[in-house]
């Protein structure tokens, strides 16, 4: 999986800088599932950061062979809600700490308050995979327009995309319109997150 993904990127003049591939139980056990010798049986994850013209995007996508378990589907809906909350909280003048607090509340609302402590949630990006990540006491300030890559995850599910945030809101740069879409509405704004490709 890692080799084929890297080859497809390099063929397009895109340099992979992070390749985190996981299958089946490893996805549930590890937030950063590095490639190992496992063979994909039911559930696969392609998680990468890639650079072109100096700029980096981050993206994670999943495939499931056979019906998606109800618990996993619910986790993806919750991760999409958390991701949407992060984007919604990313406004001009907002601090890293304020965005983190919004994420904390969304994790708690999903019944998974502890999951926020198990992995960083992402943050501003551009010429690095993350220029800074949101933290409880973070002092960095959002200055629009600015690119962000958030990656909330819980119970084997994760939503990760790169967005450019302007005064008009967030525009996802890493859209994959051929995949299922999960929609979340917050204060009248609809956010779209990639769902799981079921085969």
């Amino acid at each position: 999986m890692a080799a084929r993904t890297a080859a497809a990127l390099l063929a397009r003049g895109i340099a992979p800088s992070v390749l985190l591939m996981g299958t089946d139980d490893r996805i549930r056990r590890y937030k950063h599932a590095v490639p190992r010798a496992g063979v994909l049986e039911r559930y696969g994850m392609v998680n990468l950061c890639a650079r072109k013209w100096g700029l980096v995007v981050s993206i994670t996508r999943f495939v499931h062979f056979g019906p998606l378990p109800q618990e996993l589907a619910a986790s993806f809906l919750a991760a999409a809600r958390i991701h949407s909350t992060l984007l919604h909280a990313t406004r001009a003048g907002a601090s890293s700490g304020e965005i983190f607090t919004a994420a904390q509340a969304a994790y708690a609302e999903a019944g998974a308050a502890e999951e926020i402590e198990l992995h960083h949630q992402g943050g501003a990006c551009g010429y690095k995979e993350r220029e800074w990540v949101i933290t409880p006491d973070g002092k960095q300030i959002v200055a629009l327009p600015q690119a962000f890559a958030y990656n909330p995850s819980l119970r084997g599910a994760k939503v990760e995309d790169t967005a450019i945030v302007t005064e008009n809101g967030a525009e996802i740069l890493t859209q994959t319109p051929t995949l299922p879409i999960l929609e979340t509405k917050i204060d009248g704004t609809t956010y779209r997150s990639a769902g799981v490709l079921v085969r």
Side-chain angles (χ1 to χ4, degrees), residues 151-188:
N151 45 266
S153 60
L154 70 163
R155 304 181 192 116
K158 177 164 74 163
V159 171
E160 180 175 22
D161 271 304
T162 303
I164 185 79
V165 182
T166 69
E167 294 291 349
N168 297 322
E171 177 188 350
I172 301 296
L173 302 176
T174 46
Q175 292 183 64
T176 45
T178 58
L179 297 183
I181 298 295
L182 305 173
E183 290 192 344
T184 305
K185 187 169 281 193
I186 301 176
D187 295 336

Side-chain angles (χ1 to χ4, degrees), residues 4-164:
R4 291 178 75 171
T5 300
L9 290 167
L10 290 167
R12 292 165 173 81
I14 302 169
S17 58
V18 175
L19 289 171
L20 298 172
M21 309 290 153
T23 59
D24 301 297
D25 287 340
R26 285 184 59 76
I27 299 170
R28 294 175 182 88
R29 288 172 43 210
Y30 302 106
K31 295 285 185 178
H32 264 182
V34 297
R36 288 290 185 259
V39 176
L40 173 61
E41 293 178 11
R42 287 275 197 195
Y43 187 37
M45 176 187 75
V46 175
N47 170 204
L48 62 97
C49 299
R51 176 178 284 109
K52 187 161 185 167
W53 303 307
L55 296 170
V56 179
V57 296
S58 301
I59 183 173
T60 302
R61 296 295 184 261
F62 296 85
V63 63
H64 194 279
F65 293 90
L68 194 63
Q70 187 174 2
E71 181 182 351
L72 187 57
S75 291
F76 269 96
L77 286 172
R81 177 88 187 168
I82 297 165
H83 188 261
S84 300
T85 298
L86 283 160
L87 290 175
H88 197 70
T90 305
R91 307 288 181 175
S95 71
S96 165
E98 290 168 341
I99 299 168
F100 188 91
T101 297
Q104 272 185 315
Y107 271 96
E109 185 180 323
E114 72 289 349
E115 295 261 355
I116 198 171
E117 303 296 336
L118 302 179
H119 190 267
H120 78 79
Q121 302 301 303
C125 62
Y127 290 99
K128 295 197 287 187
E129 286 79 5
R130 301 294 189 276
E131 302 286 347
W132 46 266
V133 298
I134 60 170
T135 60
D137 300 318
K139 305 297 185 206
Q140 300 92 341
I141 300 296
V142 175
L144 303 183
Q146 193 169 11
F148 288 85
Y150 294 119
N151 45 266
S153 60
L154 70 163
R155 304 181 192 116
K158 177 164 74 163
V159 171
E160 180 175 22
D161 271 304
T162 303
I164 185 79

